[in-house]
Short mmCIF file of all heavy atoms in Angstrom, two decimals:
data_model
loop_
_atom_site.label_atom_id
_atom_site.label_comp_id
_atom_site.label_asym_id
_atom_site.label_seq_id
_atom_site.Cartn_x
_atom_site.Cartn_y
_atom_site.Cartn_z
N TYR A 250 91.71 11.52 -50.19
CA TYR A 250 91.54 10.56 -49.08
C TYR A 250 92.00 9.21 -49.53
O TYR A 250 91.63 8.81 -50.68
CB TYR A 250 90.12 10.53 -48.62
CG TYR A 250 89.69 11.81 -47.97
CD1 TYR A 250 88.93 12.73 -48.73
CD2 TYR A 250 89.92 12.16 -46.62
CE1 TYR A 250 88.55 13.95 -48.18
CE2 TYR A 250 89.52 13.33 -46.09
CZ TYR A 250 88.80 14.24 -46.89
OH TYR A 250 88.43 15.41 -46.26
N GLY A 251 92.65 8.53 -48.71
CA GLY A 251 93.11 7.13 -48.98
C GLY A 251 92.49 6.18 -47.93
O GLY A 251 92.48 6.50 -46.75
N VAL A 252 92.01 5.05 -48.34
CA VAL A 252 91.46 4.05 -47.50
C VAL A 252 92.26 2.73 -47.80
O VAL A 252 92.23 2.26 -48.82
CB VAL A 252 89.99 3.79 -47.60
CG1 VAL A 252 89.45 2.65 -46.76
CG2 VAL A 252 89.21 5.09 -47.43
N SER A 253 92.91 2.24 -46.73
CA SER A 253 93.84 1.05 -46.93
C SER A 253 93.11 -0.14 -46.37
O SER A 253 92.65 -0.14 -45.28
CB SER A 253 95.18 1.36 -46.23
OG SER A 253 95.99 0.18 -46.35
N GLY A 254 93.17 -1.22 -47.15
CA GLY A 254 92.66 -2.47 -46.72
C GLY A 254 91.15 -2.73 -47.00
O GLY A 254 90.46 -1.87 -47.48
N ALA A 255 90.79 -3.94 -46.75
CA ALA A 255 89.34 -4.41 -46.93
C ALA A 255 88.53 -3.99 -45.73
O ALA A 255 88.07 -4.80 -44.94
CB ALA A 255 89.27 -5.80 -47.18
N GLN A 256 88.27 -2.67 -45.63
CA GLN A 256 87.63 -2.12 -44.47
C GLN A 256 86.11 -2.50 -44.55
O GLN A 256 85.60 -2.86 -45.60
CB GLN A 256 87.68 -0.50 -44.53
CG GLN A 256 89.08 -0.04 -44.43
CD GLN A 256 89.72 -0.10 -43.05
OE1 GLN A 256 88.99 -0.43 -42.06
NE2 GLN A 256 90.95 0.12 -42.91
N PRO A 257 85.42 -2.43 -43.38
CA PRO A 257 83.94 -2.64 -43.43
C PRO A 257 83.25 -1.64 -44.24
O PRO A 257 83.72 -0.57 -44.51
CB PRO A 257 83.56 -2.51 -41.91
CG PRO A 257 84.89 -2.73 -41.14
CD PRO A 257 85.98 -2.20 -42.08
N ALA A 258 82.07 -2.05 -44.78
CA ALA A 258 81.27 -1.13 -45.64
C ALA A 258 81.02 0.25 -44.98
O ALA A 258 81.02 1.23 -45.68
CB ALA A 258 80.01 -1.84 -45.99
N GLU A 259 80.88 0.22 -43.62
CA GLU A 259 80.65 1.44 -42.95
C GLU A 259 81.75 2.46 -43.08
O GLU A 259 81.53 3.68 -43.15
CB GLU A 259 80.33 1.15 -41.45
CG GLU A 259 79.14 0.35 -41.18
CD GLU A 259 79.23 -1.18 -41.42
OE1 GLU A 259 80.40 -1.57 -41.66
OE2 GLU A 259 78.17 -1.89 -41.42
N VAL A 260 83.02 1.95 -43.12
CA VAL A 260 84.17 2.83 -43.30
C VAL A 260 84.13 3.46 -44.65
O VAL A 260 84.44 4.68 -44.82
CB VAL A 260 85.45 2.09 -43.02
CG1 VAL A 260 86.64 2.97 -43.33
CG2 VAL A 260 85.56 1.54 -41.61
N PHE A 261 83.82 2.68 -45.62
CA PHE A 261 83.73 3.27 -46.99
C PHE A 261 82.56 4.21 -47.11
O PHE A 261 82.75 5.26 -47.84
CB PHE A 261 83.55 2.06 -48.02
CG PHE A 261 84.68 1.18 -48.25
CD1 PHE A 261 84.68 -0.18 -47.99
CD2 PHE A 261 85.92 1.75 -48.61
CE1 PHE A 261 85.78 -0.95 -48.10
CE2 PHE A 261 87.08 0.98 -48.82
CZ PHE A 261 87.01 -0.38 -48.58
N THR A 262 81.47 3.95 -46.46
CA THR A 262 80.38 4.91 -46.50
C THR A 262 80.79 6.27 -45.89
O THR A 262 80.57 7.35 -46.46
CB THR A 262 79.17 4.41 -45.66
OG1 THR A 262 78.72 3.17 -46.30
CG2 THR A 262 78.04 5.39 -45.53
N GLU A 263 81.50 6.22 -44.78
CA GLU A 263 82.04 7.46 -44.11
C GLU A 263 83.01 8.19 -45.03
O GLU A 263 83.01 9.42 -45.13
CB GLU A 263 82.64 7.09 -42.80
CG GLU A 263 83.24 8.30 -42.05
CD GLU A 263 83.91 7.87 -40.72
OE1 GLU A 263 83.81 6.76 -40.34
OE2 GLU A 263 84.55 8.77 -40.14
N ALA A 264 83.93 7.43 -45.70
CA ALA A 264 84.85 8.02 -46.58
C ALA A 264 84.22 8.71 -47.81
O ALA A 264 84.56 9.79 -48.17
CB ALA A 264 85.95 7.03 -47.01
N LEU A 265 83.27 7.98 -48.39
CA LEU A 265 82.56 8.62 -49.53
C LEU A 265 81.80 9.87 -49.11
O LEU A 265 81.88 10.90 -49.84
CB LEU A 265 81.52 7.55 -50.10
CG LEU A 265 82.09 6.35 -50.87
CD1 LEU A 265 81.06 5.31 -51.01
CD2 LEU A 265 82.64 6.86 -52.23
N THR A 266 81.16 9.76 -47.91
CA THR A 266 80.35 11.02 -47.55
C THR A 266 81.30 12.12 -47.25
O THR A 266 81.00 13.28 -47.62
CB THR A 266 79.61 10.62 -46.30
OG1 THR A 266 78.72 9.46 -46.56
CG2 THR A 266 78.77 11.77 -45.73
N GLN A 267 82.44 11.90 -46.57
CA GLN A 267 83.38 12.97 -46.27
C GLN A 267 84.00 13.51 -47.53
O GLN A 267 84.07 14.77 -47.64
CB GLN A 267 84.41 12.46 -45.34
CG GLN A 267 85.37 13.50 -44.79
CD GLN A 267 86.24 13.01 -43.66
OE1 GLN A 267 86.13 11.96 -43.23
NE2 GLN A 267 87.18 13.88 -43.27
N ALA A 268 84.44 12.69 -48.43
CA ALA A 268 85.05 13.18 -49.65
C ALA A 268 84.06 14.01 -50.54
O ALA A 268 84.42 15.01 -51.07
CB ALA A 268 85.58 11.98 -50.43
N TRP A 269 82.81 13.52 -50.58
CA TRP A 269 81.79 14.24 -51.38
C TRP A 269 81.48 15.60 -50.68
O TRP A 269 81.46 16.62 -51.44
CB TRP A 269 80.59 13.39 -51.37
CG TRP A 269 79.45 14.04 -52.23
CD1 TRP A 269 78.52 14.93 -51.83
CD2 TRP A 269 79.23 13.95 -53.65
NE1 TRP A 269 77.75 15.33 -52.89
CE2 TRP A 269 78.19 14.67 -54.01
CE3 TRP A 269 79.92 13.15 -54.60
CZ2 TRP A 269 77.75 14.81 -55.31
CZ3 TRP A 269 79.49 13.28 -55.93
CH2 TRP A 269 78.43 13.99 -56.30
N GLY A 270 81.47 15.63 -49.41
CA GLY A 270 81.13 16.90 -48.78
C GLY A 270 82.20 17.95 -48.80
O GLY A 270 82.03 19.15 -48.65
N GLU A 271 83.48 17.48 -49.04
CA GLU A 271 84.65 18.37 -49.03
C GLU A 271 85.11 18.66 -50.43
O GLU A 271 86.21 19.19 -50.60
CB GLU A 271 85.76 17.81 -48.19
CG GLU A 271 85.36 17.75 -46.67
CD GLU A 271 86.50 17.34 -45.79
OE1 GLU A 271 87.62 17.34 -46.25
OE2 GLU A 271 86.24 16.99 -44.66
N ARG A 272 84.39 18.35 -51.43
CA ARG A 272 84.76 18.63 -52.79
C ARG A 272 84.90 20.15 -52.92
O ARG A 272 83.91 20.88 -52.43
CB ARG A 272 83.81 18.21 -53.81
CG ARG A 272 83.76 16.65 -53.94
CD ARG A 272 82.74 16.22 -54.97
NE ARG A 272 81.41 16.72 -54.47
CZ ARG A 272 80.48 17.19 -55.31
NH1 ARG A 272 80.63 17.21 -56.62
NH2 ARG A 272 79.38 17.55 -54.78
N SER A 273 85.86 20.67 -53.52
CA SER A 273 86.03 22.11 -53.67
C SER A 273 85.21 22.67 -54.79
O SER A 273 85.26 22.22 -55.92
CB SER A 273 87.55 22.48 -53.98
OG SER A 273 88.35 22.03 -52.90
N PRO A 274 84.36 23.70 -54.52
CA PRO A 274 83.54 24.27 -55.60
C PRO A 274 84.45 24.97 -56.57
O PRO A 274 85.58 25.40 -56.17
CB PRO A 274 82.65 25.26 -54.87
CG PRO A 274 83.37 25.61 -53.57
CD PRO A 274 84.08 24.39 -53.24
N LEU A 275 84.07 25.15 -57.80
CA LEU A 275 84.80 25.77 -58.88
C LEU A 275 85.03 27.29 -58.53
O LEU A 275 84.03 27.92 -58.13
CB LEU A 275 84.17 25.65 -60.20
CG LEU A 275 84.87 26.35 -61.37
CD1 LEU A 275 86.14 25.47 -61.71
CD2 LEU A 275 84.01 26.20 -62.56
N LYS A 276 86.25 27.65 -58.46
CA LYS A 276 86.55 29.17 -58.27
C LYS A 276 86.69 29.88 -59.62
O LYS A 276 87.54 29.50 -60.41
CB LYS A 276 87.81 29.28 -57.43
CG LYS A 276 87.61 28.80 -55.97
CD LYS A 276 88.93 28.98 -55.20
CE LYS A 276 88.75 28.41 -53.74
NZ LYS A 276 90.02 28.58 -52.93
N LEU A 277 85.78 30.76 -59.89
CA LEU A 277 85.76 31.37 -61.24
C LEU A 277 86.58 32.61 -61.20
O LEU A 277 86.46 33.53 -60.31
CB LEU A 277 84.26 31.73 -61.50
CG LEU A 277 84.06 32.34 -62.93
CD1 LEU A 277 84.45 31.33 -64.05
CD2 LEU A 277 82.60 32.77 -63.05
N ILE A 278 87.42 32.72 -62.20
CA ILE A 278 88.25 33.94 -62.37
C ILE A 278 87.73 34.61 -63.61
O ILE A 278 87.86 34.12 -64.67
CB ILE A 278 89.79 33.61 -62.57
CG1 ILE A 278 90.29 32.96 -61.27
CG2 ILE A 278 90.56 34.86 -62.88
CD1 ILE A 278 91.73 32.44 -61.39
N ASP A 279 87.08 35.81 -63.46
CA ASP A 279 86.46 36.51 -64.54
C ASP A 279 86.64 37.98 -64.26
O ASP A 279 85.98 38.56 -63.41
CB ASP A 279 84.97 36.15 -64.62
CG ASP A 279 84.30 36.79 -65.86
OD1 ASP A 279 85.02 37.42 -66.55
OD2 ASP A 279 83.06 36.68 -65.97
N GLU A 280 87.51 38.56 -65.09
CA GLU A 280 87.80 39.99 -64.92
C GLU A 280 86.88 40.80 -65.75
O GLU A 280 86.92 42.05 -65.72
CB GLU A 280 89.24 40.27 -65.44
CG GLU A 280 90.38 39.65 -64.66
CD GLU A 280 90.33 40.04 -63.14
OE1 GLU A 280 89.94 41.21 -62.91
OE2 GLU A 280 90.75 39.19 -62.35
N GLY A 281 85.98 40.16 -66.47
CA GLY A 281 84.98 40.81 -67.17
C GLY A 281 85.44 41.26 -68.61
O GLY A 281 86.61 41.63 -68.76
N GLY A 282 84.56 41.25 -69.60
CA GLY A 282 84.93 41.73 -70.89
C GLY A 282 85.51 40.69 -71.78
O GLY A 282 85.67 41.00 -72.97
N ALA A 283 85.91 39.52 -71.23
CA ALA A 283 86.56 38.56 -72.11
C ALA A 283 85.57 37.88 -73.00
O ALA A 283 84.37 37.65 -72.63
CB ALA A 283 87.28 37.43 -71.19
N GLN A 284 85.97 37.64 -74.28
CA GLN A 284 85.03 37.06 -75.27
C GLN A 284 84.85 35.48 -74.99
O GLN A 284 85.81 34.92 -74.56
CB GLN A 284 85.57 37.23 -76.71
CG GLN A 284 85.39 38.63 -77.47
CD GLN A 284 85.28 39.75 -76.53
OE1 GLN A 284 85.22 39.54 -75.59
NE2 GLN A 284 85.11 40.99 -76.73
N ALA A 285 83.67 35.04 -75.22
CA ALA A 285 83.37 33.57 -75.03
C ALA A 285 82.26 33.26 -75.92
O ALA A 285 81.47 34.02 -76.41
CB ALA A 285 83.04 33.27 -73.57
N CYS A 286 82.14 31.92 -76.13
CA CYS A 286 81.04 31.38 -76.91
C CYS A 286 80.03 30.66 -75.95
O CYS A 286 80.44 30.03 -74.96
CB CYS A 286 81.52 30.35 -77.91
SG CYS A 286 82.50 31.09 -79.26
N GLY A 287 78.71 30.75 -76.25
CA GLY A 287 77.73 30.11 -75.41
C GLY A 287 76.61 29.52 -76.30
O GLY A 287 76.78 29.45 -77.54
N PRO A 288 75.53 29.10 -75.71
CA PRO A 288 74.41 28.40 -76.39
C PRO A 288 73.88 29.36 -77.46
O PRO A 288 73.32 28.87 -78.48
CB PRO A 288 73.44 28.12 -75.29
CG PRO A 288 74.20 28.07 -74.05
CD PRO A 288 75.33 29.03 -74.20
N ASP A 289 73.94 30.63 -77.27
CA ASP A 289 73.35 31.58 -78.22
C ASP A 289 74.31 32.08 -79.21
O ASP A 289 74.03 32.95 -80.09
CB ASP A 289 72.81 32.78 -77.40
CG ASP A 289 71.65 32.35 -76.51
OD1 ASP A 289 70.94 31.44 -76.83
OD2 ASP A 289 71.57 32.94 -75.39
N GLY A 290 75.54 31.46 -79.19
CA GLY A 290 76.57 31.87 -80.25
C GLY A 290 77.71 32.50 -79.65
O GLY A 290 77.98 32.43 -78.38
N CYS A 291 78.52 33.17 -80.45
CA CYS A 291 79.78 33.76 -80.00
C CYS A 291 79.74 35.30 -80.17
O CYS A 291 79.20 35.75 -81.12
CB CYS A 291 81.00 33.30 -80.81
SG CYS A 291 81.20 31.47 -80.75
#
């Protein structure tokens, strides 16, 4: 999203809210069986 100019604070509030709400969740690709390291080791 782009906001041009010194808009009123209300416009920035709307833009922040909309951009936050439309963030794409992480899409996980996991075919299973792939090796990885975690908190408990590798």
Side-chain angles (χ1 to χ4, degrees):
Y250 295 94
V252 179
S253 180
Q256 300 285 350
E259 293 79 9
V260 173
F261 289 120
T262 297
E263 181 180 352
L265 287 166
T266 302
Q267 186 169 352
W269 183 268
E271 295 186 14
R272 290 175 305 142
S273 299
L275 182 68
K276 293 181 180 180
L277 182 64
I278 299 174
D279 184 3
E280 298 298 332
Q284 279 27 356
C286 296
D289 297 324
C291 300

